[in-house]
Amino acid sequence: MAEKKPRNRVGIEADRVTDVSSTDFPGYYPGEDHSWNLEKFQENLKIHIEYISELNAEFDLIGVDASIANAFRRIMISEIPTLAIEYVYIENNTSIIQDEVLAHRLGLIPLKANPDYLRWFKKDDPDFEPTDYDTVVLQLSAKCTANPNAPEGTTDPKLLYNNAHVYARDIVYEPQGRQSEWFPEGIAATNPDILIAKLRPGQEIDLTMHCILGIGQDHAKFSPVATASYRLLPTIDIIGEPITGELAKKFRSCFPKGVISINSKGEAVVKDARKDTVSREVLRHPEFEGRVRLGRQRDHFIYTVESTGAMTPDEIFLKSVQLLKKKCQILRKFNLAA
Amino acid sequence: MASKTAEHEDTHAPEIVDQEMVDEEIPEIDPNKIQILPGASEDGTAASFRILQEDHTLGNALRYVIMKNPEVEFCGYSIPHPSEAAMNLRIQTYGEITAVQALEKGLDDLVDLCDVVESKFRSAIDKGDYETTQPIDN
């Protein structure tokens, strides 16, 4: 093979994946300096943002090690505090959905509230009294009645009854103390259309909920993300002679749309390797043997962050970085030399 | 959902927290969060640490930056048991620095790394050179 495989490449072959581990450590390559160097890191680190919408984001972190990238991902999923319903005080529940099932369903509703304004509710302290600093109070009451004005012969429960369906939008926020200052926009479910329960005439739900801060490690309901994941950037290298003619068309069809294009000379060229799913279809065809090298760039992480709505996805990532930093600072406070 | 192309600056800039709230929050830290395990070498160049309430998140990241130190001969971490919230970290140096110094340098380097990532991400956001809607074709 003419050109040497770059160091930061993971090799993808038909039956195996090669060069998975990082090699950027002192002593790995003779005569090379791979010691930690902040200036070098700053120079090499690149961040490219593909898109950030209200709930989703895709961005690239280029020039970091997997251990660091994975730390951010793990923190986004399990260590960023958010608000969720934790205690449900049921005054009355005559619906067919049991108290504990109802309470669980309520707990899973993502809430829109800035967690920075709240402090930790100390769950393990039996004498801890909830205050406006740590507890948000929500109310839900719904009573189903028959609709006397229902059209003749209809079977639609929405027309036959009033309040037949209880939705997340029926939850009422009750500001306590200074909370109206901290949450001027109020606190509500991010998705108002979540169905909580169905009722029939005579059935009633009346309950009070206490929301507290928590982390995804304790319960998934506290996770600010639906998913936070990364993948490595795929690479496709056409080696040796260009692939031309009918073979180029076949080559193109081995990849998802938009990955390979055919230039004016009829040669297959890599247009956008990012779109590749790394299906390895090309490696099944003997005619392409030795003509293409699939891989992934080991230090190019494409993050996909899907927020539940409590925070914007970029905010979630920034918090994960700050949290990793805070972990280090906490450990740094200990005097171990003594 | 309304499209917001013009106003992504204020929707995405994380707000500054009420300073009063931040100042009042004093995180309670377990005084035994980090301990040196028995069996460390006399001169302190090789030691194992037990860090409570930490996992692969910090363990692997810290292992990476400590291994970046040319004075460090070996660094590894393990989680001895999945139902114990503790992480063990082993550091052996070539003898010029102690294991504690290597750990402290690792922590400082990781803090610096986080600062760089944060500032780069913020400047990428401020540049605003990105879409504010999710592409439909994916």
Side-chain angles (χ1 to χ4, degrees):
Chain A
M1 266 173 249
E3 66 264 66
K4 242 184 107 198
K5 191 167 147 293
R7 274 178 192 173
N8 62 355
R9 284 294 161 81
V10 174
I12 292 173
E13 294 172 26
D15 57 344
R16 63 199 168 139
V17 179
T18 64
D19 308 288
V20 196
S21 309
S22 312
T23 56
D24 56 336
F25 296 109
Y28 194 92
Y29 299 102
E32 286 183 28
D33 176 31
H34 285 284
S35 57
W36 173 251
N37 183 328
L38 188 65
E39 284 75 49
K40 233 192 214 165
F41 175 75
Q42 193 152 18
E43 213 174 282
N44 291 338
L45 178 74
K46 288 201 170 54
I47 290 174
H48 161 78
I49 300 173
E50 194 74 8
Y51 64 84
I52 298 176
S53 71
E54 235 169 310
L55 294 176
N56 299 285
E58 187 177 300
F59 54 89
D60 301 13
L61 209 58
I62 309 153
V64 294
D65 188 71
S67 58
I68 308 294
N70 194 38
F72 296 145
R73 182 195 64 86
R74 285 174 63 99
I75 293 173
M76 283 195 273
I77 292 169
S78 69
E79 292 187 59
I80 294 176
T82 60
L83 192 72
I85 295 163
E86 176 75 5
Y87 299 104
V88 180
Y89 302 98
I90 296 175
E91 260 86 44
N92 193 8
N93 173 23
T94 51
S95 76
I96 56 156
I97 180 161
Q98 295 92 331
D99 291 1
E100 64 274 27
V101 180
L102 182 63
H104 179 245
R105 287 178 70 77
L106 289 166
L108 293 171
I109 297 168
L111 301 174
K112 188 147 184 75
N114 188 346
D116 296 342
Y117 288 95
L118 287 167
R119 290 190 214 162
W120 291 97
F121 179 92
K122 293 184 183 61
K123 267 174 91 176
D124 37 9
D125 180 358
D127 299 325
F128 192 82
E129 289 287 326
T131 68
D132 58 337
Y133 281 115
D134 48 61
T135 308
V136 168
V137 180
L138 303 176
Q139 270 282 343
L140 177 64
S141 42
K143 192 177 164 80
C144 182
T145 52
N147 179 11
N149 307 319
E152 196 80 31
T154 182
T155 52
D156 183 359
K158 283 183 184 169
L159 298 171
L160 277 174
Y161 320 117
N162 300 316
N163 294 328
H165 295 173
V166 184
Y167 292 102
R169 72 170 83 92
D170 301 323
I171 293 172
V172 182
Y173 160 58
E174 291 192 342
Q176 310 289 313
R178 284 181 61 195
Q179 283 175 1
S180 43
E181 265 173 66
W182 302 327
F183 309 106
E185 281 139 48
I187 289 169
T190 53
N191 304 285
D193 295 333
I194 297 171
L195 181 65
I196 296 168
K198 288 186 180 183
L199 304 179
R200 283 297 175 267
Q203 293 179 352
E204 187 179 350
I205 284 173
D206 184 14
L207 46 85
T208 307
M209 293 158 277
H210 284 186
C211 315
I212 62 168
L213 281 189
I215 55 170
Q217 227 161 43
D218 172 48
H219 194 293
K221 71 184 174 187
F222 291 118
S223 183
V225 294
T227 61
S229 63
Y230 58 70
R231 63 192 176 101
L232 294 177
L233 179 78
T235 58
I236 303 159
D237 296 303
I238 297 165
I239 43 183
E241 291 291 296
I243 298 163
T244 53
E246 277 305 303
L247 212 53
K249 280 188 189 153
K250 186 173 181 189
F251 187 77
R252 184 176 59 185
S253 68
C254 287
F255 294 92
K257 229 194 211 158
V259 174
I260 303 290
S261 69
I262 294 169
N263 66 13
S264 53
K265 283 185 260 171
E267 296 167 352
V269 288
V270 181
K271 193 177 154 214
D272 190 2
R274 190 192 180 95
K275 283 187 177 154
D276 190 18
T277 54
V278 199
S279 68
R280 311 184 196 194
E281 174 66 15
V282 258
L283 304 179
R284 296 180 64 236
H285 301 280
E287 57 267 50
F288 298 127
E289 211 183 301
R291 305 194 70 176
V292 64
R293 188 162 53 208
L294 298 183
R296 303 196 101 129
Q297 197 177 322
R298 199 164 43 226
D299 60 351
H300 188 139
F301 295 90
I302 302 171
Y303 279 81
T304 311
V305 180
E306 242 177 72
S307 167
T308 57
M311 288 167 250
T312 55
D314 50 322
E315 216 177 320
I316 293 169
F317 179 74
L318 280 169
K319 282 199 173 182
S320 77
V321 181
Q322 290 161 350
L323 261 156
L324 183 62
K325 180 177 158 186
K326 203 169 138 198
K327 275 172 182 289
C328 299
Q329 287 170 330
I330 287 171
L331 282 178
R332 197 64 179 83
K333 285 196 184 126
F334 289 84
N335 184 18
L336 289 159
Chain B
M1 257 171 259
S3 75
K4 22 179 92 176
T5 321
E7 50 175 275
H8 60 72
E9 257 171 46
D10 42 86
T11 45
H12 289 302
E15 271 173 52
I16 302 206
V17 187
D18 185 336
Q19 206 51 48
E20 190 193 322
M21 289 288 301
V22 178
D23 294 344
E24 276 180 52
E25 179 137 25
I26 306 143
E28 284 160 47
I29 304 162
D30 181 355
N32 292 319
K33 178 142 180 109
I34 181 163
Q35 291 157 279
I36 298 179
L37 289 170
S41 71
E42 283 289 302
D43 57 358
T45 57
S48 295
F49 304 88
R50 188 169 179 79
I51 304 170
L52 302 179
Q53 302 296 324
E54 290 300 344
D55 53 15
H56 299 278
T57 305
L58 187 71
N60 201 13
L62 202 53
R63 188 218 95 233
Y64 170 75
V65 279
I66 292 172
M67 278 173 75
K68 278 284 218 182
N69 187 342
E71 294 300 329
V72 173
E73 182 188 26
F74 174 86
C75 181
Y77 79 99
S78 93
I79 286 155
H81 193 97
S83 48
E84 259 182 283
M87 185 258 293
N88 286 3
L89 184 75
R90 172 78 180 167
I91 302 172
Q92 285 168 219
T93 74
Y94 286 113
E96 296 301 313
I97 58 166
T98 65
V100 170
Q101 286 169 328
L103 174 64
E104 286 172 349
K105 183 178 182 328
L107 290 167
D108 292 340
D109 289 346
L110 201 49
V111 167
D112 294 342
L113 183 151
C114 291
D115 283 335
V116 171
V117 173
E118 185 176 341
S119 70
K120 284 244 180 172
F121 191 81
R122 282 193 193 277
S123 56
I125 296 235
D126 290 342
K127 247 170 88 192
D129 185 19
Y130 54 85
E131 297 290 315
T132 50
T133 51
Q134 190 177 6
I136 301 148
D137 171 40
N138 224 334

